[in-house]
Amino acid sequence: MSDLLLYLLSAVALAFAVSSWWGVRKLKALHVRSAVGEDAHESGLGQQRVAVVLNPIKARSSEAKAAIERACFAAGWDPPLFFETTIQDPGFSQVQSALDCKPDVVLVGGGDGTVRVVAESLAHTDVAMGLIPLGTGNLLARNVDLDVNDLHANVQTALFGRQRYIDTARMGIENSRTGHSSEHAFLVIAGIGMDAEVLADTNDGLKKAVGWLAYTEAGMRHLPGRRKKVSISLDDSAEQVRNIRSVLFANCGLVPGGIDFIPQAMIDDGMLDVVVMSPRSAIGWLAMYGKILFKHKGNLPIMTMYRSGKIVIKCPEPMPTQLDGDTSGEATKLTVRVEPRSLLVRVKGHQLP
């Protein structure tokens, strides 16, 4: 790679960081509109039974636990029940144990992975989920307009806020080479291709040091690469063959740094927004970034968008996948579908002081 191209890519990375910071303020009002398509309603509960699924290795987990206990005590409720995740079990058995206690709300203290696991079990129930974001990305919390840095406010919202139904989605993963198959829920954005490669190759030490900006560094290293041929079918229509670097499936579109990646993606519209990215070079990536940053509505052949309730992708060779920022193995076939208004989530509203 030439020195000129390296300088260019470095400049792009710097511009991304600066513009992302500025975008937090610039795009906030627009995104709140797109992410909240219905009025939230009161829970109608005076006395609540509270369960908490907590990732104890997160930096502020002890502080979160104490804040939840204080708030429940001040409200005159029974003490909250805590279920801590482990390295071996990221929350599957813990949320089942929580549900066995018949809670009115299950609070999730952790990152995107813990939230996704708990949401998978709470979907299609009337048990509300309260978010205590403690991770790096905190994608769902951002998309329902929580301040991910205000722990006290998030505890108040999770316990005393209003609530509303949102869509979830499921992705079936099949690998014909290994015979492995699985299905998982996601809440924000899943994908196949380069996005999953970047997540797998992000330096953990750098992520702890600079947070979500670590993904930018990994992304710059993965810009060079070849496109891969896949077939895509939307809502059981005829397959179309495309050469792609990445395909994303968005339930909602706000990502760290204030970038509203897909402004039209609404969290309760019963549809997924599908983004097919197929740049050949660094110039193509720059064009895509410009379209996202400036919200240009013109057509860009290397970045096409669709709306669909079901998507099937087939690949001649296995490709990496990801779910809400967590890698999820390689696939030769994906089946992605939306599950409309399937999860009850606590959001900002009338709260106790």
Side-chain angles (χ1 to χ4, degrees):
M1 185 181 294
S2 68
D3 289 343
L4 178 60
L5 183 56
L6 283 173
Y7 291 142
L8 177 62
L9 295 179
S10 298
V12 171
L14 179 61
F16 178 84
V18 173
S19 61
S20 296
W21 172 81
W22 177 250
V24 170
R25 297 177 180 177
K26 183 178 178 182
L27 300 176
K28 183 177 180 181
L30 173 63
H31 187 78
V32 169
R33 175 197 57 76
S34 67
V36 183
E38 69 164 21
D39 292 332
H41 58 274
E42 300 288 352
S43 69
L45 300 170
Q47 190 83 8
Q48 296 187 67
R49 188 171 182 82
V50 179
V52 186
V53 177
L54 183 68
N55 185 340
I57 70 170
K58 294 300 182 181
R60 303 184 70 184
S61 61
S62 296
E63 184 182 354
K65 182 176 182 179
I68 295 167
E69 289 175 329
R70 286 196 302 269
C72 289
F73 177 78
W77 301 345
D78 291 339
L81 304 172
F82 288 89
F83 304 88
E84 294 189 348
T85 66
T86 64
I87 295 176
Q88 295 78 19
D89 188 341
F92 293 104
S93 65
Q94 290 84 349
V95 68
Q96 290 303 319
S97 296
L99 288 173
D100 289 343
C101 299
K102 307 297 182 184
D104 298 299
V105 61
V106 175
L107 274 55
V108 189
D112 294 315
T114 308
V115 171
R116 182 174 56 79
V117 168
V118 173
E120 186 167 327
S121 292
L122 294 185
H124 304 289
T125 74
D126 291 327
V127 180
M129 181 170 75
L131 298 170
I132 312 296
L134 301 176
T136 302
N138 301 309
L139 294 175
L140 181 62
R142 297 175 191 273
N143 278 276
V144 293
D145 194 34
L146 298 183
D147 182 346
V148 299
N149 298 309
D150 192 337
L151 178 61
H152 174 76
N154 292 327
V155 169
Q156 294 292 302
T157 296
L159 292 174
F160 310 113
R162 295 163 70 85
Q163 56 193 34
R164 60 186 291 257
Y165 284 98
I166 66 171
D167 299 341
T168 63
R170 298 190 70 86
M171 185 163 79
I173 303 169
E174 301 177 39
N175 188 331
S176 61
R177 300 282 181 89
T178 64
H180 175 76
S181 65
S182 61
E183 184 174 276
H184 307 278
F186 68 94
L187 303 169
V188 182
I189 299 178
I192 183 170
M194 179 185 157
D195 58 302
E197 294 173 358
V198 169
L199 290 168
D201 199 29
T202 299
N203 184 282
D204 288 336
L206 186 61
K207 188 163 67 172
K208 290 181 180 178
V210 300
W212 62 268
L213 286 174
Y215 299 121
T216 303
E217 183 274 336
M220 300 302 293
R221 288 189 281 109
H222 280 267
L223 286 183
R226 67 182 181 89
R227 302 190 302 174
K228 296 181 180 180
K229 183 175 291 187
V230 302
S231 71
I232 304 174
S233 172
L234 305 174
D235 289 326
D236 297 318
S237 64
E239 296 180 357
Q240 55 175 300
V241 176
R242 300 288 299 273
N243 291 312
I244 63 101
R245 290 296 306 279
S246 186
V247 181
L248 299 176
F249 319 99
N251 189 35
C252 43
L254 189 66
V255 296
I259 293 295
D260 207 348
F261 184 67
I262 309 171
Q264 67 270 30
M266 297 182 69
I267 204 169
D268 59 1
D269 63 354
M271 300 291 285
L272 294 173
D273 289 78
V274 184
V275 185
V276 181
M277 298 184 289
S278 53
R280 296 174 179 268
S281 64
I283 300 301
W285 288 112
L286 284 173
M288 285 175 44
Y289 176 65
K291 177 178 173 65
I292 295 168
L293 178 63
F294 298 108
K295 302 192 181 300
H296 194 278
K297 295 183 179 180
N299 292 329
L300 191 63
I302 58 174
M303 183 181 182
T304 51
M305 299 189 182
Y306 308 91
R307 288 169 58 76
S308 179
K310 177 184 177 183
I311 307 98
V312 178
I313 292 185
K314 299 177 182 177
C315 328
E317 57 184 287
M319 295 179 64
T321 66
Q322 62 89 8
L323 297 153
D324 286 347
D326 288 329
T327 56
S328 47
E330 293 190 329
T332 54
K333 180 180 178 181
L334 287 184
T335 303
V336 185
R337 67 179 187 275
V338 68
E339 297 191 330
R341 294 172 53 83
S342 52
L343 181 66
L344 189 61
V345 177
R346 292 276 169 91
V347 295
K348 289 181 180 178
H350 301 303
Q351 302 168 10
L352 297 180

